[in-house]
Each structure stands twice: as structure tokens, then as C-alpha cells.
Amino acid sequence: MTNREKGDLGEDIAAEYLARLGYEILERNYTVKGGEIDIIAKDGDTLVFVEVKTRIGSDEPGAQAVDERKCAFLVNAAERFVLEKDETAAEMKARFDLVDISFPKRTLPPDVRYCKNIIF
């Protein structure tokens, strides 16, 4: 499985998970120079920028891959989204979340961990 296939699988699982929680998925794989946001959703009156990390055959949490540099990329892409895509988003609360998808035994079902407010 390629990294892109692994990422797509994790993002599909994360989008379904968020939809079951009642989130409205607005966009997936929003890309700008210097950053990408895996999922952009609405949780009530909050705009949620979601990073998805997928691990197969590893117990290492995906959150370890979200460092200062990655956070800066996420914030940059989120600012661009608000400016370019959704004028009303500037009036909304916003947060950055992480969905950590893990296939520790390389089989379904995966472990799904959801962390809100990964950037303060």
C-alpha cells in the first residue's frame, strides 16, 4: 500500500467518523502552497480543521508527527481557506483537531483516536 493509498484510507475513515458525530464535511484535501488540510468541517458554529494521521502495523501514535512546522502549515492553510473560500468563516470560531487512525495488527477495524484543539 502506498502512502497516498494509506492516507486516503485514513481520511475516508476519519470523514465517516466525523459525519457520525454530526459534523458537516465541507472540504477534503484543501491544498495551498505551504500547507494542506485533510478535512475541513463544521461542528455546530465552529469551523474545524482536521489533520488525519494513519498508521499501519505500528503502535506509535500519529500525533507525534504533528510538530511545530506542521502546525504552522496547518494554520497557514486555514487562514488561506478563510480568505479564499468562505467569507462567513471569518466570523466563526475555529479549532484544529487530529484524527489518529491506527491499524496495529494490519487488519480492520482500526483504532480511531480523536483529539480536539491540537493547536492552542
Side-chain angles (χ1 to χ4, degrees), residues 10-69:
E11 289 168 16
D12 289 344
I13 292 167
E16 289 174 19
Y17 178 85
L18 294 170
R20 282 195 310 270
L21 291 177
Y23 289 40
E24 177 186 352
I25 306 300
L26 302 176
E27 192 153 344
R28 290 180 57 179
N29 299 309
Y30 175 73
T31 305
V32 296
K33 184 177 180 180
E36 178 193 27
I37 299 175
D38 296 321
I39 299 172
I40 301 172
K42 276 187 185 177
D43 177 19
D45 63 350
T46 302
L47 193 58
V48 184
F49 300 97
V50 182
E51 176 69 7
V52 179
K53 291 296 180 190
T54 307
R55 299 284 188 252
I56 297 178
S58 171
D59 291 329
E60 178 181 310
Q64 290 181 344
V66 183
D67 57 13
E68 275 186 54
R69 184 170 180 247

Side-chain angles (χ1 to χ4, degrees), residues 70-83:
K70 179 63 176 177
C71 289
F73 287 148
L74 289 170
V75 169
N76 175 59
E79 289 173 346
R80 295 281 297 279
F81 176 82
V82 170
L83 292 172

